Amino acid sequence: MIDFPPASSRQLVILGATGSIGTSTLDVVARHPERYSVFALTAYRDTESLAHLCLRHSPRYAVMADETAAGELRRLLRNASCQTEVLGGAQALCEVARAPEAHMVMAAIVGAAGLEPTLAAVRAGKKVLLANKEALVMSGRLFMEAVASSNACLLPIDSEHNAIFQALPDDYRRDPDASGIRRILLTASGGPFRGTPLAALETVSPEDACAHPVWAMGRKISVDSATMMNKGLEVIEAHWLFGLPANRIEVVVHPQSIIHSMVDYIDGSVVAQLGNPDMRIPIAHAMAWPARIGSGVGALDFFGISALDFERPDFERFPCLALAYRALEAGGSAPAALNAANEEAVQAFLNRRLGFRRIADVIAATLERAERREASTIDAVLEIDALAREIARAEISKRSTP
Ligand code: NAD
Ligand code: MG
C-alpha cells in the first residue's frame, strides 16, 4: 500500500492537458479543490487552450512541447498577469513529470511522444495514471520493470483496464493462476463501422471515422477505434498490466459500452464493472484510489438500457486487431513497430493521403519488412520506432491517394 500525502497537498501534473483526457481530468480536479491542486499542465502547441487552462487552474508550471509555442504562451500569460511559469521543449515535459513536488502524473499525451515523460514519472516513483497506452505498448517489459524497481503506483485510465483493475482481487500480483483467473474479457464498442458494408469502408472519410457512436475522444484514438487497432493496443496493454498471455485476453464486442470489461474466474464467476460511458469515471477512480470521490457522472439508469448485446469480433473486417495479437505473440520489437506504423498510417489517413482500409495494409507490410530485434533499452525502442516509421512512410507512399 502506498503512503499517501495529506489530502490537501496532492499535486497533479497533467501531460496532455488540452486533450480529451486532460480536460476530463481537470473537470474532476475542479470538483475537489480541497483535495487536488495542479502543479503543471502540458500541451504540444495549442497555446490558446493551454493559456485558458492556466488562467482557470493556476498551475505552478505550464509546458509547451514546442519551443516556439512556449514563447507565445509566455506572452499570452504575461498579458493576462498570470503567475504560471512557462517552460518549453520535450525535456521540460520530463522535468515536470519527475519534479519532487508532484505526487500524481496523468499520462495523457497521445502516441509515442508520451513515452519519455511517462517513463520519467514512473522512474521517479510517482503515482502514474496511464491513459497513454502507446507508451506501454512500445516499451512493455522495460516499462513494467521500471514500475517495479521505482515502486511507482501505476493505475490504468483506459476504461477497460480500469474496469479489470476494479474486478481483480485487491492483492493481485500479475499472476492469473495464483488468483484463479481463467481469462480477461475486454469489451469493445465496435466503433462507427461495426455494421458498414465492407465495400463502403473503401471510401470512408476522417470525419466518418471520428464520429464515434459512444465516446468523444481525440482524433487518433477515434480512428484507432474505427479500425479496432485501439482494441489491439489494449490487448497488448492488458498483457503488460495484468500478466496474462494473449490467448487468455479475449475481445467481446458490446455496442452499448455499459460493461467496461470483465474478469472470468475458474469457478465460473464473471466479475464486471459497469457504468455510463464517461472517462471521468476511471479518471476519478484512479485519482482517489483506494478512496472513492464524485466524478460528475450520474447514476446508471438500468431501466433506460434496452439491452446488453455481445458479439464476436470480426477479424476480417478489422484486420488491425489480428495484427496486434500477432505482434504481441511475436514479442521483442514487434509491438513497437506495430504502434509506429499505426501512428504513421493514421496520420496519413487523417491527412487524406491514405484510404481507410490501407491503414491495415501499411501496418502489415511494415511488420513484414521491419527487422526483428531485442527491445532491451529505451534507446533501442526509440530506434525501432524510428525505423518502423521510415518503412511505414515508404509503404504509405506506394498506396497514397492523389
Ligand atoms: P487528444 O488528441 O485529445 O489529446 C492529446 C494531448 O497530447 C493534447 O494535450 C496534445 O497537446 C498533446 N500532444 C500531442 N502530441 C504531442 C507531442 N508530440 N508532444 C507533447 N504533447 C503532445 O488525445 P486523447 O483522446 O485525450 O488521448 C490521450 C491518450 O489517452 C491517448 O494515448 C489515448 O489512446 C488515451 N485514451 C483516450 C481515451 C479518450 O476517451 N479520449 C480513452 C482511453 C485512452
Ligand atoms: Mg479503452
Side-chain angles (χ1 to χ4, degrees):
M1 194 55 78
I2 328 153
D3 211 4
F4 282 104
S8 59
S9 65
R10 280 176 210 163
Q11 298 228 58
L12 181 65
V13 173
I14 306 181
L15 302 169
T18 54
S20 161
I21 294 291
T23 49
S24 292
T25 306
L26 286 168
D27 181 285
V28 176
V29 167
R31 290 167 195 278
H32 303 280
E34 73 304 337
R35 206 175 171 106
Y36 305 107
S37 56
V38 181
F39 178 69
L41 297 177
T42 86
Y44 183 28
R45 46 186 171 199
D46 29 357
T47 42
E48 299 260 328
S49 313
L50 196 58
H52 175 77
L53 296 178
C54 288
L55 292 173
R56 169 89 182 75
H57 298 278
S58 313
R60 172 91 176 76
Y61 294 102
V63 185
M64 300 296 317
D66 182 280
E67 300 269 9
T68 319
E72 171 69 9
L73 180 67
R74 213 168 278 130
R75 193 184 59 74
L76 286 174
L77 293 184
R78 202 180 310 125
N79 289 347
S81 307
C82 176
Q83 301 297 310
T84 298
E85 191 173 324
V86 178
L87 308 173
Q91 215 33 54
L93 297 174
C94 298
E95 278 161 29
V96 294
R98 62 173 162 247
E101 296 94 326
H103 298 119
M104 225 190 306
V105 178
M106 167 58 81
I109 291 175
V110 59
L115 175 62
E116 288 180 279
T118 304
L119 265 179
V122 166
R123 288 175 177 148
K126 304 294 182 196
K127 175 171 172 178
V128 178
L129 316 184
L130 184 72
N132 181 207
K133 65 193 90 186
E134 296 92 342
L136 184 55
V137 167
M138 291 172 76
S139 66
R141 184 179 309 285
L142 293 170
F143 192 105
M144 295 310 292
E145 282 170 3
V147 171
S149 63
S150 69
N151 233 343
C153 170
L154 181 67
L155 293 168
I157 293 298
D158 222 337
S159 57
E160 298 76 5
H161 306 74
N162 184 271
I164 290 164
F165 180 83
Q166 295 197 46
L168 286 169
D170 286 345
D171 61 352
Y172 186 66
R173 289 283 174 271
R174 298 179 74 231
D175 180 351
D177 293 327
S179 296
I181 292 164
R182 182 184 287 136
R183 58 185 177 155
I184 275 175
L185 298 158
L186 278 184
T187 54
S189 71
F193 303 142
R194 187 171 57 91
T196 309
L198 275 185
L201 284 185
E202 291 292 344
T203 55
V204 294
S205 69
E207 291 71 33
D208 299 328
C210 291
H212 196 277
V214 186
W215 303 94
M217 310 177 287
R219 283 165 74 75
K220 191 262 177 183
I221 186 178
S222 295
V223 177
D224 285 348
S225 299
T227 60
M228 282 193 82
M229 179 54 95
N230 182 49
K231 210 50 54 182
L233 297 175
E234 289 183 0
V235 168
I236 302 174
E237 182 185 12
H239 165 76
W240 290 113
L241 287 174
F242 306 119
L244 283 95
N247 63 4
R248 289 167 72 178
I249 304 170
E250 277 182 46
V251 173
V252 178
V253 176
H254 165 48
Q256 292 88 1
S257 297
I258 295 293
I259 296 176
H260 297 302
S261 279
M262 303 175 260
V263 178
D264 183 2
Y265 289 89
I266 51 171
D267 61 3
S269 299
V270 177
V271 181
Q273 185 260 359
L274 287 74
N276 285 312
D278 188 318
M279 289 307 293
R280 290 176 301 174
I281 296 177
I283 290 168
H285 169 266
M287 280 173 62
W289 182 83
R292 295 272 179 179
I293 57 170
S295 64
V297 182
L300 185 58
D301 172 17
F302 279 89
F303 305 108
I305 304 168
S306 55
L308 296 178
D309 296 313
F310 305 98
E311 296 165 13
R312 278 181 210 286
D314 179 345
F315 286 93
E316 228 172 280
R317 170 182 295 270
F318 298 113
C320 285
L321 186 54
L323 288 169
Y325 269 106
R326 218 178 302 152
L328 174 56
E329 270 153 12
S333 55
L338 171 100
N339 179 67
N342 181 55
E343 286 191 27
E344 291 293 322
V346 168
Q347 199 50 55
F349 169 69
L350 285 170
N351 294 341
R352 299 176 205 280
R353 289 178 44 232
L354 189 71
F356 180 76
R357 297 200 74 196
R358 303 291 82 74
I359 294 174
D361 297 344
V362 166
I363 300 165
T366 305
L367 286 177
E368 194 78 23
R369 280 181 54 195
E371 187 198 326
R372 285 289 145 84
R373 38 167 95 195
E374 275 310 305
S376 46
T377 63
I378 291 300
D379 283 345
V381 170
L382 294 173
E383 203 174 302
I384 292 159
D385 175 84
L387 290 171
R389 281 174 200 269
E390 228 170 87
I391 300 172
R393 283 197 283 265
E395 294 296 330
I396 290 165
S397 301
K398 285 189 212 163
R399 297 169 175 83
S400 65
T401 43

